[in-house]
Amino acid sequence: MTISSDDDLDRLKEIGRIVANTLEAMGTAIEPGMTTGELDEFGRGLLERAGATPAPELCYGFPGATYISVNEEIAHGVPGDRRIAAGDLVNIDVSAQKNGIFADTGASFSVPPVSKAIERLCRDGRRAMWTGIRQIGANKPLSGIGKAIGAFARRNRYTLVQNLASHGVGRALHEEPTEIATWPVQSDRRIMNEGLVFTVEPFLSLGAEWAEDGGEAGDAWTLFSSPRAPTVQYEHTVIATRRGPLVVTLPG
């Protein structure tokens, strides 16, 4: 989506605020003993009371309102009977539609007590995302995002999952530009036009480089770290403007 009017911008800001507030509330609500299904139903209620429709169900028939992934699961986890325990790493991905416009956000939350390494991974996951966001602006190269995040990861001795990319969003949950790498790619020559709307969502890890399905033992949705290693994802929906990035998925 490219923002072409004040109405577009207002609607995007509204759904961005809704998904951001939902994500923040879900993260605060996490406690040992609750199931991922209970957490998902809490999020569903928040979205629906705000007049928003959960995007995973709407677009893909996903069996839940939000993606909730725990530990070895790193994306598209199906909410259900799994109980969250102390020491877990829980990723929540919230996307929704209102008035024909979609926004997408996500974050990883550690459930205390956790090791210093996990605390640092969560802190640096956010730093990696913001390192990429700072590269956004009208007429700048899309590849600058992945190059900056890649340099951050190398400097701090992390790996990046290289088959889960950022993407355009707005009039659909996934749209052009597709496959925006959050790792270094030299061949991408695309330029951000003014008003372009897309996500920035690096997957920073203590060793994983790929996401894979669960094979015959898995479901049709959940992706796992490969090789198995603690992995975090942080995500914002952002607009490229002449003044730089405009983040629309901040709570408020």
Side-chain angles (χ1 to χ4, degrees), residues 9-93:
L9 180 58
D10 290 343
R11 286 188 291 160
L12 182 62
K13 285 181 174 180
E14 181 184 17
I15 188 59
R17 184 170 58 252
I18 290 169
V19 296
N21 287 341
T22 299
L23 176 66
E24 182 180 58
M26 290 177 72
T28 300
I30 293 172
E31 59 182 32
M34 76 186 310
T35 67
T36 56
E38 290 167 343
L39 182 60
D40 180 66
E41 282 303 307
F42 174 66
R44 177 191 297 280
L46 294 172
L47 291 172
E48 292 181 347
R49 284 193 292 276
T53 304
E57 282 183 337
L58 177 65
C59 298
Y60 304 117
F62 179 75
T66 64
Y67 299 120
I68 302 177
S69 310
V70 182
N71 295 337
E72 71 281 358
E73 305 167 349
I74 60 171
H76 304 164
V78 178
D81 295 333
R82 181 167 184 168
R83 292 198 177 276
I84 296 169
D88 279 348
L89 191 56
V90 180
N91 179 266
I92 304 173
D93 192 316

Side-chain angles (χ1 to χ4, degrees), residues 55-251:
E57 282 183 337
L58 177 65
C59 298
Y60 304 117
F62 179 75
T66 64
Y67 299 120
I68 302 177
S69 310
V70 182
N71 295 337
E72 71 281 358
E73 305 167 349
I74 60 171
H76 304 164
V78 178
D81 295 333
R82 181 167 184 168
R83 292 198 177 276
I84 296 169
D88 279 348
L89 191 56
V90 180
N91 179 266
I92 304 173
D93 192 316
V94 181
S95 55
Q97 178 269 147
K98 184 175 183 180
N99 296 323
I101 301 295
F102 292 80
D104 194 357
T105 189
S108 296
F109 302 88
S110 59
V111 184
V114 296
S115 68
K116 293 292 186 183
I118 296 300
E119 289 180 356
R120 179 175 175 267
L121 176 63
C122 291
R123 180 199 70 193
D124 287 345
R126 290 189 183 276
R127 291 175 65 200
M129 175 189 65
W130 284 106
T131 295
I133 288 173
R134 284 194 291 271
Q135 311 310 310
I136 293 173
N139 302 314
K140 296 181 70 174
L142 271 173
S143 62
I145 297 168
K147 289 176 182 177
I149 295 171
F152 175 88
R154 285 193 306 275
R155 187 166 61 248
N156 292 283
R157 300 183 179 180
Y158 293 106
T159 57
L160 291 163
V161 172
Q162 297 184 38
N163 61 335
L164 289 174
S166 301
H167 55 89
V169 65
R171 302 202 186 280
L173 179 57
H174 293 91
E175 61 179 58
E176 295 291 336
T178 61
E179 299 297 320
I180 303 170
T182 52
W183 58 92
V185 173
Q186 302 301 325
S187 60
D188 191 347
R189 299 288 185 263
R190 295 175 294 178
I191 301 296
M192 304 174 220
N193 56 285
E194 184 177 1
L196 186 65
V197 184
F198 58 96
T199 68
V200 175
E201 49 178 312
F203 287 76
L204 194 74
S205 181
L206 293 177
E209 296 183 336
W210 307 102
E212 63 179 13
D213 63 36
E216 293 183 2
D219 55 51
W221 303 96
T222 306
L223 298 174
F224 297 82
S225 57
S226 179
R228 298 289 189 265
T231 303
V232 295
Q233 175 249 25
Y234 294 89
E235 175 183 16
H236 275 310
T237 295
V238 187
I239 306 171
T241 79
R242 292 180 183 178
R243 296 183 178 181
L246 174 57
V247 179
V248 298
T249 45
L250 295 172

